[in-house]
Amino acid sequence: MKIDIDKYIAQQPALANIKEQKPTFWPNPDRVPENEIWDHEEFGLKDIEAAEADLERYAPLIAKIFPETASTDGIIESKLEKLDKMQELIEKNHEFHGELFMKMDSDLPVAGSIKARGGIYEVLKHAEDIALETGLLKSKEDDYTKLATKEAKELFSQYKVQVGSTGNLGISIGITAAALGFEAIVHMSYDAKEWKKELLRKKGAEVKEYDTNFNIALKKGRAESDADPKSYFVDDVKSTTLFLGYATSAIRVKKQFENRGITIDKDHPIFVYSPAGVGGSSGGTAFGMKAVFGEAAHVFLIQPTHCPSIPLGMVTGMNNDVSVQDIGIDGKTEADGLACPSPSVFSGDYMKPMLDGMFTVDDADLFNYLRDLHSSEGFTIEPSSCASFEGPIKLFEDPFAKEYMKENNLDKIQDNIIHLTWATGGSMVPEEINEQNLKTFL
Ligand SMILES: *Cc1c(COP(=O)(O)O)cnc(C)c1O
């Protein structure tokens, strides 16, 4: 299918940059005023709080199947870091205002990426459903550590859990499903990194490799799972459970800022920058931040210049039915976590009224930001994660971003901005791959 993007460019000039694969800011033209957002949404804060309550119920079980979470009583959470040294480095070469923070989901236990939030949640919810149906659990007040017994494993071993992934979602689902005793099958696209496949096999999941992109791997995985009544498919582009699991992070982030004594309000806004693939975890994060912080939150997604699927899906209204290849862009990027040529249904429908804008980033800069972060703060994260720095670095320089700031009177309070970059993955990257990444110049 060929899409004529030119017809949208007259109204949205930033799309010309997207078409030409030049880094840009793209303001979301469909954003509505804060007080109208929730009229457009099927889900809201109540649903996020319900997901949070589920996770609290699962916590004793999580602590039991993943002993690395025992010290936090089965709550899977990451640190909030202030990046003073990275900020200094940015200020040397760029205009910058406000304060720079990073949410370290790269260190989340079990999966080493943001996918630990939604992925573990959805597998546990599915296990809970089966346990309630079969009587293993008498009610939601029952002892959930029963799901970690030999009897439970025998029960779950009759079922399959499958997922399509470029890597990290597969790790999260595969590890959790296998730990509970499910037969775990992960359908992986050609951009999936070898170390991620090896890790999954070691954890007891089956990896099916495809020599196609994520769209096709996802479709094939879904079809295979749907044909089997005892198989459950975790669907990255359609799952509300995943989405709400990701959104719970906002409740936790709010507490973390409160604990630091940092005020966030309309005049001291938080700008959130999430690297995006299909818009599942990134969209869920943005959704949660808007629901929890209201008009104090400004949410931005970042995609590679070679895979700007979310603006394309939103502009055309075609969401998951359109691919960057339809406008002549190859969808190939070193950022495996962002290599999703078609966006999820959520990123279009749920993000439309609330997304403030998108940045696109050159692959080469992902590695530059990786080096900057490493030399200044000593952290290494996945190249995909580094996309988030494009936000604060370009916000005060990109002409479309400057216009956005002015139009929304944000330029007047720019010194009060809390910039929250989201480190989406990293702690499981093998040391030799980190070293290779630090030496990669594109
Ligand atoms: C999943 C992931 C993202 C965001 O992707 P979505 O498809 O929007 O959920 C970004 N970075 C990393 C490392 C990821 O694993």
Side-chain angles (χ1 to χ4, degrees), residues 219-241:
K219 277 192 189 121
K220 291 202 170 151
R222 187 191 288 135
E224 199 174 306
S225 181
D226 288 351
D228 180 346
K230 290 220 146 178
S231 178
Y232 180 83
F233 193 69
V234 178
D235 205 323
D236 203 7
V237 300
K238 287 181 192 158
S239 166
T240 43
T241 307

Side-chain angles (χ1 to χ4, degrees), residues 364-378:
D365 278 331
L366 301 178
F367 294 93
N368 295 332
Y369 300 155
L370 183 72
R371 273 183 288 277
D372 289 347
L373 182 68
H374 183 250
S375 67
S376 61
E377 303 281 351

Side-chain angles (χ1 to χ4, degrees), residues 113-115 168 236 275-282 337-338 382 384-385 424-425:
S113 82
I114 190 169
K115 304 304 189 305
N168 288 342
D236 203 7
V278 297
S281 64
S282 50
L338 316 182
E382 282 185 45
S384 296
S385 293
T424 42

Side-chain angles (χ1 to χ4, degrees), residues 13-27 94 301-308 311 329 358-366 368-369 387 389-391 393-395 397-401:
L15 287 175
N17 289 335
I18 286 181
K19 183 187 167 195
E20 288 161 30
Q21 298 165 58
K22 285 188 197 148
T24 191
F25 176 75
W26 171 75
H94 302 274
L301 304 182
I302 300 102
Q303 289 195 304
T305 50
H306 279 256
C307 206
I329 297 182
M358 296 245 345
F359 292 86
T360 57
V361 58
D362 270 337
D363 270 23
D365 278 331
L366 301 178
N368 295 332
Y369 300 155
F389 290 112
E390 183 77 358
I393 288 175
K394 296 291 173 68
L395 184 70
E397 291 184 348
D398 180 281
F400 293 109

Side-chain angles (χ1 to χ4, degrees), residues 378-389:
F379 301 137
T380 46
I381 55 178
E382 282 185 45
S384 296
S385 293
C386 295
S388 62
F389 290 112

Side-chain angles (χ1 to χ4, degrees), residues 286-362:
F287 184 85
M289 294 300 286
K290 277 282 188 196
V292 168
F293 288 94
E295 59 184 346
H298 297 255
V299 295
F300 305 93
L301 304 182
I302 300 102
Q303 289 195 304
T305 50
H306 279 256
C307 206
S309 56
I310 291 174
L312 181 63
M314 285 176 61
V315 164
T316 58
M318 292 168 71
N319 297 334
N320 200 236
D321 296 325
V322 70
S323 154
V324 295
Q325 283 151 352
D326 299 333
I327 59 166
I329 297 182
D330 62 13
K332 292 199 172 145
T333 166
E334 274 303 311
D336 57 311
L338 316 182
C340 306
S342 299
S344 88
V345 182
F346 300 114
S347 54
D349 292 350
Y350 296 179
M351 289 296 102
K352 213 168 191 147
M354 68 171 67
L355 181 71
D356 290 285
M358 296 245 345
F359 292 86
T360 57
V361 58
D362 270 337

Side-chain angles (χ1 to χ4, degrees), residues 93-401:
N93 301 304
H94 302 274
E95 187 179 344
F96 182 86
H97 305 273
E99 288 186 298
L100 187 65
F101 286 82
M102 188 158 78
K103 183 62 182 148
M104 303 297 289
D105 277 7
S106 45
D107 288 340
L108 279 177
V110 183
S113 82
I114 190 169
K115 304 304 189 305
R117 297 185 184 280
I120 294 171
Y121 176 47
E122 179 151 1
V123 174
L124 290 180
K125 204 169 170 65
H126 177 57
E128 177 188 43
D129 287 343
I130 294 176
L132 286 169
E133 260 167 44
T134 55
L136 178 67
L137 282 176
K138 298 283 172 282
S139 73
K140 290 191 177 178
E141 281 73 46
D142 205 346
D143 173 9
Y144 273 63
T145 59
K146 281 185 185 169
L147 272 63
T149 56
K150 220 173 130 210
E151 184 195 355
K153 270 200 164 162
E154 264 163 35
L155 169 68
F156 295 139
S157 71
Q158 302 162 35
Y159 299 87
K160 287 179 192 161
V161 172
Q162 309 197 46
V163 64
S165 174
T166 64
N168 288 342
L169 183 63
I171 290 178
S172 164
I173 301 290
I175 289 177
T176 312
L180 286 166
F182 287 105
E183 195 179 324
I185 304 171
V186 182
H187 302 263
M188 283 183 135
S189 57
Y190 61 28
D191 19 46
K193 304 286 182 213
E194 208 47 51
W195 69 265
K196 295 186 180 178
K197 297 179 193 166
E198 274 166 34
L199 175 71
L200 268 171
R201 290 188 184 112
K202 227 170 51 200
K203 296 281 184 179
E206 184 187 337
V207 175
K208 291 208 171 176
E209 303 179 78
Y210 294 83
D211 53 4
T212 59
N213 68 26
F214 174 70
N215 287 358
I216 317 259
L218 180 75
K219 277 192 189 121
K220 291 202 170 151
R222 187 191 288 135
E224 199 174 306
S225 181
D226 288 351
D228 180 346
K230 290 220 146 178
S231 178
Y232 180 83
F233 193 69
V234 178
D235 205 323
D236 203 7
V237 300
K238 287 181 192 158
S239 166
T240 43
T241 307
L242 271 183
F243 195 76
L244 292 170
Y246 295 128
T248 57
S249 60
I251 296 177
R252 314 249 181 104
V253 165
K254 184 160 188 266
K255 283 198 194 118
Q256 289 180 317
F257 277 107
E258 282 168 4
N259 290 343
R260 282 176 173 254
I262 295 172
T263 307
I264 293 171
D265 58 26
K266 186 170 179 277
D267 296 322
H268 303 81
I270 185 164
F271 280 41
V272 187
Y273 308 98
S274 298
V278 297
S281 64
S282 50
T285 302
F287 184 85
M289 294 300 286
K290 277 282 188 196
V292 168
F293 288 94
E295 59 184 346
H298 297 255
V299 295
F300 305 93
L301 304 182
I302 300 102
Q303 289 195 304
T305 50
H306 279 256
C307 206
S309 56
I310 291 174
L312 181 63
M314 285 176 61
V315 164
T316 58
M318 292 168 71
N319 297 334
N320 200 236
D321 296 325
V322 70
S323 154
V324 295
Q325 283 151 352
D326 299 333
I327 59 166
I329 297 182
D330 62 13
K332 292 199 172 145
T333 166
E334 274 303 311
D336 57 311
L338 316 182
C340 306
S342 299
S344 88
V345 182
F346 300 114
S347 54
D349 292 350
Y350 296 179
M351 289 296 102
K352 213 168 191 147
M354 68 171 67
L355 181 71
D356 290 285
M358 296 245 345
F359 292 86
T360 57
V361 58
D362 270 337
D363 270 23
D365 278 331
L366 301 178
F367 294 93
N368 295 332
Y369 300 155
L370 183 72
R371 273 183 288 277
D372 289 347
L373 182 68
H374 183 250
S375 67
S376 61
E377 303 281 351
F379 301 137
T380 46
I381 55 178
E382 282 185 45
S384 296
S385 293
C386 295
S388 62
F389 290 112
E390 183 77 358
I393 288 175
K394 296 291 173 68
L395 184 70
F396 304 103
E397 291 184 348
D398 180 281
F400 293 109

